[in-house]
Amino acid sequence: MHILLASIIKEYRLLVRDRVGLALMFLMPVILVVVITSVQNSAFNMVNDNKISLLLINSDSGVVSKEFIVAIRKLQMFNIVESKNMVASNQVSKDMKEKDAMVALIIPTCFSSQLNQKAKSTSAKALTNFGLESDSMKSELTAVSPELIFHPILQESYCKSISGALQGALMLVENKLMIQALYKAVNEEELPPDFESEMTRNKTSFTESYALINGSRNIPNATQHNVPAWTVFAMFFTVISLGGNVVKEKLSGSFTRLKTLPANYLISLIAKQFVYIGVILLQVLIIFSIGVLLFPKINLPALNIPDHVLSLVLVTLLCGWCAISYAMCIGVFAQTQEQCNGFGAVSVVLLAAIGGIFVPSFAMPQAFKLIMNISPLHWCLESYYSLFLQGAKWDDISNNIIALLITAFSLQVLALITLKRKNLI
């Protein structure tokens, strides 16, 4: 026990002297989590909270076009900017830039009259199929379509979402005209306003819910992704300090000198793990505290700590042990500190990239979704996600826990076997 305590004190003193390693383990992740969360939160709000600026150019003066505009406003998706001057098609881009609009909607001339004629033609055709005669136009007509112009910066999926929303508003207007035309053709009178409003209100809607474990749900936001993600990243960046420490001891002959003493180098390895587990717990405490205390003061969403705090502590310890095992393994195989620092930093960045740290796993290509299973950072991050977003307990993340245990144990065994083969222990 005395030898272990002395080894822990020695490792602590070595750690304190490593100013660069401490900066990489504490200062870098703090800067990353604040800056990247701020950037992603702005993008998240732009997509989810802010309305899309829509330049509306209405060349039609009929009632139908006005009803179409009312239906668009009811979507509560757009910030409509109406152009007072009728803009030519070739000048729309310039007008969009001046009014800072992402989308332009051009309603053509005679839009109302042609849509009314189309509704009458379709209703007449339907009555004929039912065996009823109608004096309305039976020839099939196609109304002139409104034109949508998108800003080049918008992604294709976003454009399709906008187009689908506007198409739904247009279909609502067309269906209303169709019902009016059918009712008038059959009953020879206008559709009663109360019946029309009842049909508009009585729409079938979806029942929405979320796939949760215990019924609770924290709303996903930039904080819920970035704080756990960059915490895991900070854990694995201990490879710079711990891996370099192991390499330095190999090159300085500390391994050989320890053989002459009544102590085993395994005790020194255990002491390193105790010290760096403490470092990782301090990392987690600092980064999580920033998410809970600092973020609300700089207008960022606060981090919601899971209810199952014990599960959070156990997951943190296991993720930390996996990160320490990886750092020790890199230190054992590296021949110089340059190799350790270079390969360690690059490998952690690559594992973070394919593990979902930089980009959420659901947004990755299908090929990467298979490769990410080899990254221990992926399993660490998935464990945190389950705790933070789904309210999971220890049993609910057993698959992630088993993967982390197997990874950490395999890295520990690999490091010990390599040290033994090199006759260092």
Side-chain angles (χ1 to χ4, degrees):
M1 191 67 182
H2 176 71
I3 298 174
L4 178 60
L5 182 59
S7 299
I8 291 175
I9 294 173
K10 184 262 294 184
E11 296 299 333
Y12 170 75
R13 290 175 177 173
L14 290 174
L15 175 65
V16 171
R17 294 172 189 167
D18 187 7
R19 303 292 177 84
V20 176
L22 288 173
L24 287 172
M25 289 187 292
F26 289 99
L27 185 59
M28 181 191 67
V30 168
I31 295 173
L32 285 173
V33 76
V34 173
V35 172
I36 296 181
T37 303
S38 301
V39 173
Q40 288 191 358
N41 186 64
S42 299
F44 189 89
N45 288 338
M46 184 186 71
V47 174
N48 293 278
D49 296 336
N50 295 351
K51 293 183 179 180
I52 304 163
S53 55
L54 184 145
L55 175 64
L56 179 62
I57 304 170
N58 187 8
S59 302
D60 182 73
S61 57
V63 177
V64 177
S65 63
K66 295 178 181 178
E67 290 183 355
F68 181 36
I69 295 172
V70 170
I72 294 174
R73 293 186 187 278
K74 288 182 179 179
L75 293 174
Q76 296 183 349
M77 181 178 175
F78 302 99
N79 181 23
I80 298 177
V81 180
E82 295 192 40
S83 179
K84 296 181 181 179
N85 301 321
M86 295 302 125
V87 182
S89 299
N90 58 353
Q91 296 179 345
V92 173
S93 298
K94 182 180 178 180
D95 207 43
M96 287 177 66
K97 184 177 180 180
E98 291 177 354
K99 299 184 183 303
D100 198 23
M102 293 288 103
V103 187
L105 174 63
I106 303 174
I107 300 177
T109 309
C110 302
F111 174 76
S112 296
S113 59
Q114 290 193 21
L115 214 60
N116 275 317
Q117 291 176 3
K118 179 184 176 184
K120 291 177 182 179
S121 174
T122 307
S123 63
K125 187 176 180 181
L127 290 173
T128 302
N129 290 335
F130 290 149
L132 300 175
E133 293 295 331
S134 174
D135 296 331
S136 302
M137 297 172 59
K138 295 183 182 179
S139 59
E140 189 171 349
L141 295 176
T142 302
V144 61
S145 301
E147 184 179 358
L148 272 178
I149 301 176
F150 296 103
H151 196 287
I153 198 173
L154 292 179
Q155 296 180 353
E156 184 178 355
S157 59
Y158 206 45
C159 294
K160 288 183 178 179
S161 299
I162 295 171
S163 178
L166 293 174
Q167 185 67 46
L170 181 58
M171 286 183 64
L172 184 65
V173 174
E174 285 189 302
N175 290 339
K176 180 180 176 181
L177 293 174
M178 187 78 62
I179 293 170
Q180 290 175 343
L182 283 171
Y183 190 91
K184 186 174 182 179
V186 174
N187 298 286
E188 297 183 353
E189 60 180 13
E190 298 293 335
L191 181 69
D194 56 343
F195 182 72
E196 179 182 325
S197 60
E198 176 65 24
M199 292 189 65
T200 305
R201 286 196 309 269
N202 191 19
K203 295 185 295 184
T204 304
S205 59
F206 290 97
T207 301
E208 298 179 355
S209 61
Y210 297 92
L212 306 174
I213 293 175
N214 65 350
S216 62
R217 175 178 184 257
N218 292 324
I219 299 174
N221 52 47
T223 299
Q224 300 293 84
H225 167 69
N226 282 286
V227 172
W230 295 111
T231 300
V232 172
F233 187 74
M235 290 180 184
F236 277 82
F237 240 82
T238 55
V239 68
I240 301 297
S241 181
L242 177 54
N245 192 346
V246 174
V247 173
K248 189 184 298 182
E249 290 185 344
K250 287 195 305 178
L251 297 177
S252 65
S254 297
F255 284 48
T256 305
R257 287 195 296 272
L258 281 172
K259 286 187 174 183
T260 64
L261 300 175
N264 195 314
Y265 186 69
L266 290 176
I267 296 178
S268 180
L269 293 178
I270 295 172
K272 291 180 189 295
Q273 297 187 51
F274 270 115
V275 171
Y276 280 89
I277 278 290
V279 169
I280 285 172
L281 290 176
L282 186 59
Q283 285 178 325
V284 173
L285 181 62
I286 291 173
I287 299 175
F288 282 14
S289 297
I290 289 172
V292 174
L293 302 176
L294 178 63
F295 278 9
K297 295 182 179 180
I298 57 176
N299 297 322
L300 290 175
L303 178 68
N304 298 314
I305 300 297
D307 296 330
H308 305 284
V309 179
L310 180 59
S311 297
L312 178 62
V313 173
L314 292 174
V315 166
T316 300
L317 289 173
L318 190 54
C319 293
W321 187 47
C322 188
I324 290 169
S325 302
Y326 181 77
M328 288 179 54
C329 198
I330 295 295
V332 167
F333 278 92
Q335 300 298 321
T336 63
Q337 280 194 288
E338 289 76 12
Q339 288 181 1
C340 178
N341 294 342
F343 179 80
V346 172
S347 64
V348 169
V349 171
L350 288 176
L351 290 173
I354 65 175
I357 301 295
F358 300 152
V359 179
S361 56
F362 65 83
M364 288 187 174
Q366 190 62 36
F368 277 88
K369 291 181 180 180
L370 299 175
I371 298 174
M372 72 171 59
N373 292 321
I374 68 174
S375 173
L377 285 83
H378 167 69
W379 299 107
C380 294
L381 189 58
E382 287 299 311
S383 300
Y384 275 123
Y385 277 170
S386 299
L387 294 174
F388 278 94
L389 297 177
Q390 295 183 302
K393 298 180 181 178
W394 185 257
D395 296 339
D396 301 318
I397 53 176
S398 56
N399 290 338
N400 299 333
I401 298 306
I402 291 172
L404 287 173
L405 280 172
I406 292 174
T407 302
F409 184 76
S410 301
L411 291 171
Q412 292 271 346
V413 171
L414 182 61
L416 291 176
I417 291 175
T418 305
L419 288 172
K420 189 71 174 176
R421 290 183 60 183
K422 292 182 178 180
N423 201 26
L424 296 173
I425 58 172

